[in-house]
Amino acid sequence: MSAKSKRPLSGCPIDYALSVFGDRWSLLIIRDLAIKGVKTYAELLEGWEGISTNILAQRMKHLEDKGIVEKRKNPTNWRSSLYELTPKGRDLAPLLSEIILWGGTYNEADEPMNEAYNTVRSDRVGFEDEIRSNDQNAR
């Protein structure tokens, strides 16, 4: 997040939020960690959207630096790391719900993926509670 992150922030809450996760890849990474239960770098690379390794590395470092994601050693494989949302990252649950609802309503894809949309529409509180509790097994 080169020049964009180096400019001084205006003090506006939206400006701050966009400086943390306002690019396409950061929100997709947050989605994968929060909703899809992804835990490893390799799993993030395998995502539907096809992020490149250099962009993924940059975004992961940025999200770690901003306190949204934390990285720890994998206890079963010392050569790999596990990633998860921090409490600050899990607090994005209501925002994810709103984005899912808006995107599901106006999605123009030929075959929209509506599973998350249907889940949020039927049990928004439960959806957000699962993200906030970091209960990946519940999804």
Side-chain angles (χ1 to χ4, degrees):
M1 318 273 320
S2 58
K4 184 178 179 183
S5 64
K6 291 189 170 94
R7 74 166 175 76
L9 295 174
S10 68
C12 170
I14 293 174
D15 187 29
Y16 171 74
L18 291 175
S19 77
V20 174
F21 55 80
D23 63 273
R24 175 181 194 228
W25 294 115
S26 293
L27 276 174
L28 291 173
I29 290 166
I30 291 166
R31 174 209 60 196
D32 287 355
L33 294 171
I35 300 170
K36 291 172 58 179
V38 168
K39 292 281 189 194
T40 67
Y41 192 87
E43 290 172 324
L44 288 164
L45 277 175
E46 293 169 1
W48 301 315
E49 289 81 11
I51 190 171
S52 66
T53 57
N54 63 323
I55 297 294
L56 178 56
Q58 289 172 355
R59 295 310 189 272
M60 292 303 290
K61 175 77 170 109
H62 175 75
L63 291 170
E64 284 180 72
D65 290 347
K66 295 297 184 179
I68 302 295
V69 171
E70 64 185 3
K71 172 180 159 180
R72 59 184 167 82
K73 282 292 180 196
N74 185 340
T76 61
N77 179 359
W78 62 271
R79 296 185 325 179
S80 72
S81 297
L82 298 176
Y83 296 90
E84 65 183 19
L85 294 175
T86 63
K88 182 178 177 179
R90 291 190 302 270
D91 278 346
L92 291 169
L95 176 70
L96 293 174
S97 290
E98 286 298 326
I99 291 171
I100 289 167
L101 290 172
W102 186 88
T105 300
Y106 298 104
N107 191 342
E108 296 177 354
D110 291 335
E111 297 181 32
M113 299 174 157
N114 287 328
E115 184 178 344
Y117 174 71
N118 293 334
T119 299
V120 173
R121 283 191 62 207
S122 66
D123 184 13
R124 180 181 180 143
V125 172
F127 175 83
E128 292 175 10
D129 285 348
E130 286 176 19
I131 292 172
R132 284 196 167 120
S133 71
N134 198 28
D135 186 1
Q136 300 295 334
N137 297 324
R139 281 173 277 213

